[in-house]
Amino acid sequence: MTPKRSDILRMLAAAALLLAAACSTTRRLPEGEVLYTGVKKIRIVPDSGVVLAPEAESDARQPLSVAPNNPLYAPYLRTPLPIGLWAYNNLYTPREKGPKYWLYRRLAKEPVLISKVQPQLRAKVAEQALGNNGYFGSQVASELLYRKKGRKAKVDYTLRIAPPYRYGSIAYPEPGGAIGGIIDSLRDTSPLHTGDRYDLDALIAERSRITDVLRNSGYYYFRSQYLEYQADTTVGDRRADIRLRLKPATPAQALRPYHIGSVTVRLTDVEPGPADTLQLRRATVIAQRPMKIRPRVLARTLSLEPGQLFTVDAQSRTLTELNKLGIFRYVNLSVPAIDSLRGADSLDVLLDAQFDLPLSADIETDVVSKSNSFLGPGIAFKVSHNNLFRGGEVLSLKLNGSYEWQTGNKNSGGQDSRLNSYELGLNATLDIPRLLLPHRKGRNPDDGRTSFQIGLDLMNRPDYFRMISFGGSAGYDFRTSAYSRHTLTLLKLTYNKLLNTTQAFDQTMEANPTIAMSFRDQFVPAIAYTYTFDKPFGASGNRRIFWQNTVTEAGNILAGILGACGRKQPQELFGNRFSQFIKEESDLRFYLRLGSGNTWIATRFLAGVGYAYGNSEVMPYSEQFYIGGANSIRAFTVRSIGPGSYRPAAGDRNGYLDQTGDFKLEANVELRFGIMGRLNGAVFLDAGNIWLLKNDPLRPGAALNGRTFFNDIALGTGFGLRYDISYLVLRADLGIGIHTPYPNPDRKGYYNIQSFKDGLGFHLAIGYPF
């Protein structure tokens, strides 16, 4: 009797469980040692009426949250199969050769032992952390919970929280002398207030704030350790009187302000040569001939001016601006040592910088992975001149080529949507390390970059078409804070032209006039603005928010000019129609780390809308939205679902051309966790679709409709592996389809995939999907 497939699977699963049970994870533990398997629970038991502050709880939990081997949710859960620990105990061999030794070296992880974790010591550290937050007298106890005959143990922690101490009186140094007056002037803006909970971090931050103000008032040699706190906790009522004072042993040189003396800039090349001296308004320059930086550019980077107070901000700005030019191997700034001042009231500054080689060439061969799920080998050759006009301008010429094939399941849209293509490109880019703007008083013209780009790209899709694109752009890239970045493209002009097409492609265009209009030869004159906000936050940077919003408009200014000149629509530029549309895309992401390990929840919500009008009936094909693929809904290949509930005819190899839209919604959530070493895993859920904003009789069900909206949302889940090799992440994802927007007469209900196999989509990619 032939066993059934289900019986075979059950037997294999049982065999795997027996094998796992037979392999010990404690075999090689030294005598008397206990394997640490994580934390059972961390109990917070406050005294009556006490509320533990979130930041204090985080500080107390941190030393207790030690990850065990192969954590899934550190420090509480481990993965069911701790491969590294299993390999350490079962693959060890004294022979340093052979396949077993090779596996041992690459898989084995030393066990985390109770003796190394030291729960009692960590409990004392947690008590200290509570005391630093004002909860003096709190107690932390640890208990070992043994299993496996005492060879394994979890730790149970109990934190008994005492009422917090609060600030009583807060005294600053007497306002004697110049430095005392400055410190006294900061009293009114102090974040420390009587009645607030005692907080060591707040005391340290206040000391650092005072130090920063002093060092930017000429007290260059002052350090925060010259200030100390005295706390009196004997006044009763759980109050602490705080006194800030200058240490008696503070050096006299640190208590006086300094001005800038002479400023000397010494510039050297990689190869030594004769040098000249050049006098600028703010500095003396000693440089080899010929000088590889324009004097005006160099002068603009110097914020240190003789006679002014020596401030740390001016020093930092000078170093930052010189390094931003990107033409130096190193930049060093030196001033006299504190013990060599001998009563001087000014500091002579020496800036020492060495030029880097201006020409560089790079050749790269790699695997290209795109957001549209194409994967394949690529090669790029790039030549750059990093100091073209002696001001840090970078001119780059890049030649690239790639051959790509699409990954994913074959049945996503009822047709074989796997496509092969090659692409060749030649691009020239000029980056200028400042904003080329009319200078006005109060504006820093160097706060950003100005970029110019021109290039051409040839794409060949066998059996479909060959297209060439010419383009150029000019724009600005600048920051207004550490978290906010702005990219303004003043002009981007692209010309798309179909060089040749196949008969099958032409027939598809004849049958779909709307699609054909998006492929016609046309100019795309566009202006775009992108705002990016990217900020980590939380007590330990365990949360991050990312938002990128892009607005693009094309053809409106040109149409207005031609309309003012009496040209009626449809209007042309150099004998070709140009596009006119407006487009908005918004990408919001949120990342949350669970515990103190490498487990994260990553979420993304993406929305986009585009509307063609005036001179265009539809947006260019390259500007339309599509969905699916390695970085989108991973249960489906790119352009295999949508728009709406529309589905191309079965067997139509050109059906993917129909599957673009004007409106896009997508949502993703992914749980990312470590497995072993550099190998990580993920479980994900993806949903979304695209729609048309205008009805198309040839694509029934494609238009956005409130009554069918929720049924039009495609849904997929799945799991994947990621291998992190520092500079890139190799990713493999298996998507599992749950719901498709198009109806399936053979399967009723929400789960309408034809079969489980048909709903699988496998993707190889580089980098995280979002």
Side-chain angles (χ1 to χ4, degrees), residues 1 26 194 351 471 483 494:
M1 180 178 178
T26 58
T194 298
L351 280 161
Y483 315 113
T494 305

Side-chain angles (χ1 to χ4, degrees), residues 109-374:
K109 296 295 179 183
E110 288 192 15
V112 180
L113 304 175
I114 289 290
S115 61
K116 293 181 180 179
V117 175
Q118 302 184 71
Q120 292 182 345
L121 177 59
R122 291 184 176 277
K124 296 297 182 184
V125 175
E127 286 181 1
Q128 184 178 0
L130 290 169
N132 291 341
N133 284 275
Y135 297 91
F136 297 109
S138 298
Q139 296 179 340
V140 180
S142 63
E143 180 185 1
L144 296 181
L145 305 177
Y146 293 97
R147 56 188 296 265
K148 294 292 183 182
K149 299 181 180 179
R151 300 291 279 167
K152 297 181 180 181
K154 284 183 174 288
V155 185
D156 208 39
Y157 293 102
T158 302
L159 285 66
R160 301 192 180 277
I161 312 301
Y165 274 72
R166 300 189 178 276
Y167 297 128
S169 62
I170 302 173
Y172 279 70
E174 295 296 329
I179 193 170
I182 294 175
I183 296 176
D184 186 66
S185 69
L186 299 174
R187 184 197 304 265
D188 291 340
T189 56
S190 171
L192 307 178
H193 302 98
T194 298
D196 287 350
R197 175 176 52 83
Y198 178 93
D199 186 348
L200 181 60
D201 288 341
L203 295 174
I204 293 174
E206 172 64 354
R207 191 174 66 171
S208 298
R209 182 181 77 100
I210 293 172
T211 301
D212 290 343
V213 172
L214 290 173
R215 298 194 71 200
N216 280 307
S217 300
Y219 294 86
Y220 178 75
Y221 292 103
F222 194 87
R223 299 293 184 267
S224 59
Q225 56 263 33
Y226 297 152
L227 290 169
E228 66 177 4
Y229 287 103
Q230 293 178 327
D232 183 3
T233 59
T234 64
V235 294
D237 198 24
R238 300 191 74 83
R239 301 179 75 84
D241 290 344
I242 303 297
R243 176 178 293 277
L244 178 66
R245 70 167 192 163
L246 286 167
K247 286 185 177 180
T250 301
Q253 295 92 330
L255 300 177
R256 60 182 301 178
Y258 292 89
H259 291 77
I260 300 172
S262 63
V263 179
T264 303
V265 181
R266 185 168 59 200
L267 305 176
T268 58
D269 296 340
V270 177
E271 296 292 334
D276 278 344
T277 300
L278 174 67
Q279 190 65 46
L280 301 179
R281 184 176 69 86
R282 296 181 179 179
T284 300
V285 181
I286 303 172
Q288 293 178 218
R289 299 194 306 260
M291 190 169 169
K292 295 182 178 179
I293 184 172
R294 301 197 306 274
R296 182 179 176 184
V297 173
L298 180 60
R300 192 167 53 227
T301 65
L302 302 178
S303 298
L304 298 166
E305 186 167 353
Q308 293 184 347
L309 285 172
F310 194 110
T311 68
V312 175
D313 282 352
Q315 171 185 304
S316 299
R317 283 197 305 271
T318 297
L319 292 173
T320 298
E321 293 301 320
L322 285 170
N323 282 303
K324 275 173 57 178
L325 292 174
I327 62 177
F328 297 111
R329 287 193 172 184
Y330 64 82
V331 179
N332 295 325
L333 185 147
S334 59
V335 295
I338 189 171
D339 55 1
S340 64
L341 295 175
R342 299 175 184 175
D345 61 356
S346 62
L347 303 177
D348 294 333
V349 180
L350 173 62
L351 280 161
D352 198 351
Q354 186 180 82
F355 287 102
D356 204 349
L357 294 174
L359 291 176
S360 63
D362 299 296
I363 186 168
E364 298 179 1
T365 58
D366 54 18
V367 177
V368 178
S369 175
K370 295 184 176 180
S371 60
N372 59 4
S373 194
F374 274 81

